[in-house]
Amino acid sequence: MPPVVLALRRLPAPRLTGLGAGLFASAVMLVIGFLDLLLLDGSPVAYGLLFLPVSALTALWVRTADLVTAPIGVPIAFAVGVLPIAGGTGGLGGQAMAVVTALAVHAGWLYGGTLVAGIIASVRKVRDMGRRQQHTRATTGAAAPLAGSAEVAKTAKGAKGAKGAKAAKAR
């Protein structure tokens, strides 16, 4: 196996709830935002590049039941993390305008990370649905009869006959 695959298999595979995944992504992006401000003077390219793997990890680490929350939580995390590097002045209004401007200017990174999380969550959901279907088939032993099969037709005919007999007795 390639060394990259082996390295990826050694990564932890925690299962976070939807809220936990959102908090994880928000906390990591806030730390990345402060580190970016401190080390790189608020470089939006570095921030955006680091947002992509955080989005991927969030979608990989969220529980299967909460997969829908991954593409919802990562844009919120992007907005939380952009606070330190937005660079607003003049109080709360100036800071809010700087954050809105930063979100608008760096929407490509925001959409890219959301797309990454959405694709990973979708693939995980499709794989989970396939696993469930395969498990269901394995436990039943065989596929269920089709709607047009002889067994279904015989059952339906028997039900009609019973109704007809009840109607005849009522007359």
Side-chain angles (χ1 to χ4, degrees):
M1 249 186 236
V4 174
V5 174
L6 293 174
L8 288 175
R9 284 190 176 182
R10 282 183 288 200
L11 283 176
R15 291 292 168 231
L16 301 171
T17 63
L19 179 62
L23 289 173
F24 161 76
S26 296
V28 170
M29 290 312 298
L30 188 62
V31 168
I32 287 173
F34 278 119
L35 288 174
D36 186 20
L37 180 66
L38 182 68
L39 301 174
L40 302 171
D41 201 29
S43 170
V45 174
Y47 180 77
L49 282 173
L50 291 171
F51 174 63
L52 297 177
V54 170
S55 299
L57 286 176
T58 301
L60 286 171
W61 288 350
V62 71
R63 292 186 318 175
T64 307
D66 297 329
L67 279 172
V68 72
T69 62
I72 296 169
V74 292
I76 296 169
F78 186 89
V80 168
V82 86
L83 287 170
I85 64 169
T89 59
L92 184 63
Q95 183 68 28
M97 287 303 296
V99 168
V100 170
T101 302
L103 289 173
V105 171
H106 308 300
W109 292 113
L110 178 61
Y111 292 147
T114 305
L115 183 65
V116 166
I119 288 172
I120 291 173
S122 297
V123 168
R124 284 188 58 206
K125 185 64 175 178
V126 168
R127 290 181 67 201
D128 181 57
M129 288 170 31
R131 257 192 306 262
R132 284 186 185 185
Q133 190 175 31
Q134 188 178 28
H135 177 61
T136 303
R137 285 182 184 160
T139 57
T140 58
L146 297 175
S149 71
E151 291 178 20
V152 174
K154 190 188 304 183
T155 307
K157 190 182 268 188
K160 285 181 184 176
K163 286 181 184 177
K166 285 182 184 179
K169 283 183 183 179
R171 291 186 196 160

